[in-house]
Amino acid sequence: MCTERRGTTPALVVGESNFTQRRGERRSACRQGLQSGSRQERRLITLSVMVLMAMHSGLSRAEVGTLADSSGQVVAWGRNNAGQTFVPSNDYLAIAAGGDTSFGIRTDGTLVGWGDNAAGQATFPGGIFTAVAGGSQHAVGLRSDGTAAAWGDNSYGQTNVPSGVYQASAAGGDHNLAQLTDGTLTSWGDNLAGQGNVPSGVYSAFDAGAVHSLGLRNDGTLAAWGNNSLGQ
């Protein structure tokens, strides 16, 4: 998941085999489960696209990744090897893309998922959610009480959520980032490339790639950590 700021320009959220788009919001590109600049990544556009079409333009949302007032319809097309274009009929407040799985938050705060469920990434825990993000074969969500939940593949401990009250989260390939209420970041899951070694600071925005992470501090400085094989 990408942290978002309010805006009026359409933007894309990139999963391993789909895109998500919401009219009325600006969202930075999230590349889940693959390395930036790879051949697989360059083929994303031809594989699958998922677009959220807002029913009205007055969308508002918090910096943490929630929508305060919206109703929308999700459509998907392209690659359908795991049923990722079979969108359940519903009204959605937020969406996210994982590897071959897509996620939506209904207007009542419950989650729905479609596509690949081989690792249980589309089988949700209970609760009312305000945000959701998809990794390669796992997902992480924030409940309305500030607690976080993660589910799906746990090969690297990516579903072992540290206790705390969170205000934003992001899912990488096999790792997660979450922001505590004091603005600091924590990480769990795969750390083989150091993508979980968060530099100190108070952050205003952050994102997780396949095996690296990126954050913007309150003082305007940018930090990146993890795999640097391509200079990321």
Side-chain angles (χ1 to χ4, degrees):
M1 170 183 168
C2 299
T3 55
E4 302 174 27
R5 298 184 182 275
R6 295 179 185 177
T8 57
T9 55
L12 296 176
V13 176
V14 183
E16 192 166 306
S17 61
N18 57 31
F19 291 106
T20 63
Q21 181 176 1
R22 184 185 306 282
R23 181 182 303 159
E25 292 183 338
R26 180 177 293 113
R27 185 186 287 247
S28 57
C30 292
R31 295 176 176 88
Q32 313 292 0
L34 50 140
Q35 294 187 9
S36 176
S38 68
R39 178 178 300 177
Q40 183 182 6
E41 184 184 40
R42 290 192 294 269
R43 292 179 57 242
L44 284 174
I45 295 176
T46 65
L47 292 178
S48 178
V49 178
M50 183 175 71
V51 177
L52 176 68
M53 300 182 298
M55 301 303 291
H56 50 80
S57 59
L59 298 179
S60 62
R61 59 175 308 286
E63 182 63 28
V64 301
T66 63
L67 284 170
D69 180 22
S70 74
S71 61
Q73 184 180 22
V74 175
V75 296
W77 62 93
R79 182 180 179 183
N80 194 38
N81 62 302
Q84 57 265 52
T85 68
F86 297 148
V87 183
S89 176
N90 221 303
D91 287 335
Y92 295 93
L93 295 180
I95 53 174
D100 285 322
T101 312
S102 299
F103 309 93
I105 300 180
R106 300 183 184 100
T107 54
D108 63 1
T110 58
L111 294 174
V112 63
W114 59 97
D116 183 24
N117 192 35
Q121 64 266 47
T123 303
F124 305 108
I128 302 301
F129 286 83
T130 60
V132 63
S136 180
Q137 283 193 306
H138 77 285
V140 60
L142 295 182
R143 296 188 179 97
S144 57
D145 62 2
T147 59
W151 57 94
D153 180 39
N154 196 36
S155 301
Y156 297 93
Q158 59 266 53
T159 67
N160 299 333
V161 181
S163 60
V165 178
Y166 299 99
Q167 58 185 12
S169 64
D174 293 307
H175 74 291
N176 302 305
L177 299 172
Q179 185 179 43
L180 296 162
T181 54
D182 63 1
T184 59
L185 299 180
T186 187
S187 180
W188 67 96
D190 183 20
N191 193 34
L192 295 178
Q195 64 267 47
N197 297 335
V198 181
S200 61
V202 177
Y203 289 84
S204 59
F206 60 97
D207 204 357
V211 285
H212 80 288
S213 303
L214 188 70
L216 178 65
R217 297 187 181 95
N218 281 356
D219 62 6
T221 59
L222 192 64
W225 57 98
N227 181 37
N228 195 38
S229 59
L230 297 173
Q232 59 268 50

